Amino acid sequence: MGTFFRHAASAMRWLLVGAVVAGVAVGACLGVVAVATGPGAYEDGAPWSLVAAPGIDRQTAMDTAVAEVPGSRAVSAELDSERHITVWEVEVVTPDGVEYEVSVDANTGAVVGTAEHD
């Protein structure tokens, strides 16, 4: 009778180990899904909007930034996401050497903000 309980306990132990491993695997998968689709992950199309073609091109954004800071010249422009809005971040420099970053809405072409670099 003791052998029967030993075999039963051994079988139950492996069944318990299998259940724990399966639970951890399922929990990890659910955790990854929760992080990938949770609040703020791709809300309002923030990162995905960077994949789509912007409404205005790079040169138009650079021209808009130069118009925002008179007398400046555009140095660089890159597509980015700012507060769930896809923007062109354009670096401009004035003749005095002062650098500004002008954020231009990539869909509408409107200036979202201008900041002086130190």
Side-chain angles (χ1 to χ4, degrees):
M1 190 74 150
T3 306
F4 172 75
F5 286 118
R6 230 178 295 129
H7 287 299
S10 178
M12 291 298 284
R13 184 179 323 126
W14 287 113
L15 185 61
L16 180 61
V17 168
V20 168
V21 169
V24 168
V26 169
C29 290
L30 290 176
V32 168
V33 169
V35 168
T37 61
Y42 293 105
E43 198 171 87
D44 299 331
W48 290 114
S49 63
L50 295 178
V51 176
I56 64 167
D57 64 0
R58 182 175 187 253
Q59 187 60 50
T60 303
M62 291 171 78
D63 294 342
T64 302
V66 167
E68 181 70 14
V69 181
S72 66
R73 65 180 174 82
V75 177
S76 68
E78 64 181 38
L79 203 56
D80 200 0
S81 178
E82 191 173 283
R83 286 175 271 170
H84 302 296
I85 298 172
T86 304
V87 295
W88 284 103
E89 289 184 348
V90 183
E91 299 281 336
V92 297
V93 178
T94 65
D96 300 333
V98 179
E99 295 179 8
Y100 291 89
E101 181 177 281
V102 181
S103 297
V104 180
D105 188 312
N107 294 313
T108 66
V111 174
V112 177
T114 303
E116 184 178 338
H117 278 262
D118 293 330

